[in-house]
């Protein structure tokens, strides 16, 4: 990546090994403990509110960007050996394209969330980085904390300082534009701008990691979290699961991105 493309990229560090440089994400540690998942006064798929206990884990402070995902595409290509797609590079909404045989983020979109990766592409990117996708419970705890808040920043309605929402189709914003929207643990971008793939299949609550929803075999429809740039305000909550969102896991989507955990 050209050095000038690094301007404005927050919470990323540049490591240079054997003469090459690679961007890596800062991660936030989420402590072990119990939190409230779901809510009783929301949509049916967010009910019932229930207690979930998690061990400590780490999660990326910010979503994966187009610039970072381009590195993966250059290393692994846009599909698996079997032909399963990692990225819809030929979709009109893609913000990463090939030039001279190399995948490069479109100018001006380097620091925007990487939309158009399939669920498999998100899973494989995280593995390539030595990480994994967060499960649905981990994602919600990182966004919500332990006080059952409606939004990452609290219970007050979102403003344009908190998140990108109610915007035009494909109108994403830089990932570090919304410091007012930080979660209790300091995680950013958990509301709006782009939905997030998680590892968990879209199964009814209560959440149980041992009921088959964490089978990582491709095919199942997955939960998506956080709301997108074109979501209304009531979809950028910490409990929203994307019930009305088009999310075929074999394809990429203009409003679904991701972050990694470990």
């Amino acid at each position: 990546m050209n050095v000038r493309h690094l301007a404005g990229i927050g919470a990323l560090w540049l490591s240079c090994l054997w003469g090459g440089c690679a961007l890596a994400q800062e991660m936030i540690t989420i402590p072990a403990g119990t939190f409230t998942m779901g809510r009783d006064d929301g949509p049916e798929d967010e009910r019932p509110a229930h207690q979930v206990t998690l061990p400590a884990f780490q999660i990326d402070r910010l979503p994966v960007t187009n610039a970072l995902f381009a590195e993966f595409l250059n290393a692994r290509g846009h599909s698996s050996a079997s032909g399963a797609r990692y990225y819809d590079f030929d979709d009109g909404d893609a913000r990463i394209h090939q030039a001279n045989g190399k995948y490069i983020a479109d100018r001006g979109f380097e620091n925007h969330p990487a939309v158009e990766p399939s669920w498999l592409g998100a899973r494989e990117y995280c593995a390539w980085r030595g990480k994994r996708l967060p499960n649905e419970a981990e994602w919600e705890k990182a966004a919500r904390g332990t006080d059952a808040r409606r939004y990452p920043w609290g219970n007050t309605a979102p403003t344009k300082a908190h998140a990108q929402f109610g915007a035009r189709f494909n109108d994403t914003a830089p990932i570090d534009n919304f410091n007012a929207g930080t979660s209790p643990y300091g995680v950013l971008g958990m509301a709006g701008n782009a939905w997030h793939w998680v590892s968990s299949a879209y199964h009814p609550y209560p959440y149980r990691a041992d009921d088959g929803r964490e089978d990582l075999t491709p095919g199942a429809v997955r939960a998506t979290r956080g709301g997108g740039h074109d979501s209304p305000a009531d979809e950028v909550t910490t409990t929203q699961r994307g019930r009305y969102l088009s999310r075929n896991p074999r394809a990429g989507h203009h409003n679904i991105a991701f972050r990694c955990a470990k």
Side-chain angles (χ1 to χ4, degrees):
M1 175 186 291
N2 190 299
V3 173
R4 63 185 170 79
H5 290 163
L6 301 179
I9 298 181
L12 301 174
W13 53 271
L14 186 67
S15 63
C16 297
L17 301 172
W18 303 102
C21 294
L23 285 169
Q25 278 274 30
E26 177 190 352
M27 301 193 81
I28 300 290
T29 297
I30 310 300
T34 301
F35 79 107
T36 300
M37 186 170 186
R39 51 189 276 211
D40 291 326
D41 60 346
E44 184 177 356
D45 67 343
E46 299 176 25
R47 305 175 191 174
H50 56 288
Q51 299 294 294
V52 176
T53 301
L54 297 172
F57 64 96
Q58 291 182 298
I59 193 166
D60 288 345
R61 182 170 179 248
L62 289 160
V64 173
T65 63
N66 289 312
L68 288 170
F69 200 76
E71 292 184 357
F72 166 76
L73 294 175
N74 285 319
R76 294 283 301 277
H78 67 261
S79 61
S80 69
S82 66
R85 283 202 168 196
Y86 297 147
Y87 184 72
D88 283 356
F89 67 95
D90 52 357
D91 191 292
D93 303 321
R95 299 301 192 190
I96 303 171
H97 294 94
Q98 277 193 313
N100 299 318
K102 183 178 181 181
Y103 287 100
I104 301 173
D106 292 354
R107 185 182 299 274
F109 290 92
E110 298 91 340
N111 196 30
H112 287 229
V115 295
E116 293 296 339
S118 65
W119 179 83
L120 178 63
R123 189 196 76 176
E124 291 302 293
Y125 172 93
C126 291
W128 180 69
R129 291 289 191 189
K131 305 178 188 182
R132 58 174 175 79
L133 282 172
N135 64 45
E136 196 172 5
E138 290 171 332
W139 192 99
E140 186 165 326
K141 183 178 181 182
R144 192 178 202 189
T146 58
D147 57 358
R149 56 184 58 192
R150 182 68 55 89
Y151 305 99
W153 54 88
N155 294 315
T156 59
T159 69
K160 294 301 184 177
H162 293 110
Q164 180 81 334
F165 66 96
R168 299 185 306 275
F169 183 91
N170 219 25
D171 188 17
T172 57
I175 59 171
D176 51 1
N177 265 18
F178 305 101
N179 289 333
T182 187
S183 87
Y185 301 107
V187 186
L188 289 170
M190 301 294 269
N193 211 12
W195 296 84
H196 292 169
W197 290 119
V198 292
S199 64
S200 313
Y202 182 62
H203 288 179
Y205 282 171
Y207 176 88
R208 285 185 53 188
D210 61 356
D211 66 0
R213 74 182 69 210
E214 295 303 336
D215 181 348
L216 297 182
T217 304
V221 173
R222 306 287 162 169
T224 47
R225 304 302 303 248
H229 56 274
D230 50 359
S231 294
D234 61 1
E235 284 190 350
V236 300
T237 66
T238 56
T239 54
Q240 172 65 227
R241 304 179 72 203
R243 65 197 181 283
Y244 297 133
L245 184 68
S246 174
R247 57 182 191 276
N248 172 7
R250 295 179 180 85
H253 302 270
H254 79 282
N255 54 2
I256 305 179
F258 69 99
R259 69 179 75 219
C260 304
K262 69 178 181 181

